[in-house]
Amino acid sequence: MRIFKVGDSQQAICEHCHSLENATFHLRDVPFSDGSGVVKNVLVGVCDKCDQVCVLPHQSTPAVKKQLDSQRKPIESRLPAHLVDILNLATYELGGSTDFVPSLMKYYIHALASDEKAAKKIVLLLQSELAQGKADKRLSLKGRRVFEELDVLKAISHIENTTDLIKGVILKINDDILVKKRPKPTRELKNIVAAVA
């Protein structure tokens, strides 16, 4: 493996110029293609013609991986045991196992982040007796998108505390799946369970 230094150059295919160009290595802040973040001060090959990044040398891969991993840190919440039991019961009701709990939570976080009217009602669920109790169980959710959607949901629902927001989402799941047995989310989730089973 060749180690490049700032100022080194090599020929590279530039996607922007659609041609073989000379690329010079510089330290740059490089955004991810999906817009989800930026890798700061990483060595990259920059096209001498258009000044766009066209080469990521192998030696820069650990810096990119570190940034990606930092975006995938789990969201940890300590919850009363009965709220975790609600999630387990809901997955059972949908025909899944407890392995489906993270997917169920992500589905609801996504759905609520996309539905302002429903999201604003979560705060009312937090006033119920089911929202109370000693936090003696842990729930962990991973994924870059879940971070973003939780932030959106916090803004819409005006619930700043992540654990309270997670409690509200669980109580919404309880209301939809176990209490009122709403057809739309139940049908969609049963299809998802069948697809991943």
Side-chain angles (χ1 to χ4, degrees):
M1 176 180 68
R2 181 176 171 192
I3 299 294
F4 292 97
K5 305 185 302 296
V6 171
D8 286 352
S9 63
Q10 76 168 31
Q11 294 284 301
I13 293 176
C14 177
E15 289 183 21
H16 303 278
C17 297
H18 304 290
S19 59
L20 186 65
E21 299 294 338
N22 193 60
T24 304
F25 287 89
H26 299 284
L27 292 174
R28 286 261 176 108
D29 293 349
V30 181
F32 290 122
S33 59
D34 64 0
S36 64
V38 175
V39 184
K40 300 236 179 229
N41 209 27
V42 66
L43 187 73
V44 290
V46 178
C47 176
D48 290 350
K49 184 176 177 184
C50 70
D51 199 42
Q52 296 291 319
V53 174
C54 61
V55 177
L56 179 73
H58 189 66
Q59 71 199 60
S60 296
T61 304
V64 174
K65 185 179 183 316
K66 180 181 178 189
Q67 181 63 31
L68 278 171
D69 289 346
S70 73
Q71 293 179 331
R72 292 189 177 122
K73 281 183 183 168
I75 296 166
E76 302 280 342
S77 297
R78 297 215 39 94
L79 302 166
H82 66 275
L83 291 179
V84 175
D85 290 343
I86 286 171
L87 288 174
N88 292 338
L89 277 170
T91 60
Y92 180 76
E93 181 76 18
L94 295 167
S97 70
T98 55
D99 293 342
F100 189 68
V101 165
S103 298
L104 175 62
M105 285 297 297
K106 289 177 188 178
Y107 171 93
Y108 262 87
I109 289 166
H110 173 74
L112 289 166
S114 308
D115 184 348
E116 191 171 334
K117 188 177 174 186
K120 287 182 175 178
K121 293 179 181 175
I122 297 173
V123 73
L124 300 173
L125 295 170
L126 289 174
Q127 297 168 10
S128 75
E129 191 181 329
L130 275 178
Q132 309 308 312
K134 184 182 173 207
D136 46 14
K137 289 233 178 167
R138 186 176 63 87
L139 179 69
S140 179
L141 297 172
K142 293 180 184 172
R144 193 168 62 231
R145 191 165 181 175
V146 78
F147 269 101
E148 296 164 6
E149 291 182 332
L150 272 175
D151 285 342
V152 169
L153 195 48
K154 282 179 180 180
I156 296 171
S157 66
H158 304 293
I159 301 170
E160 286 304 312
N161 183 288
T162 301
T163 297
D164 285 344
L165 188 59
I166 295 293
K167 284 182 182 180
V169 172
I170 293 170
L171 293 172
K172 174 70 172 153
I173 291 168
N174 180 58
D175 197 47
D176 284 359
I177 306 298
L178 299 176
V179 178
K180 295 179 180 164
K181 300 185 186 291
R182 294 188 195 276
K184 185 178 181 234
T186 301
R187 185 174 54 251
E188 286 178 359
L189 285 160
K190 281 185 175 181
N191 287 339
I192 294 169
V193 168
V196 298

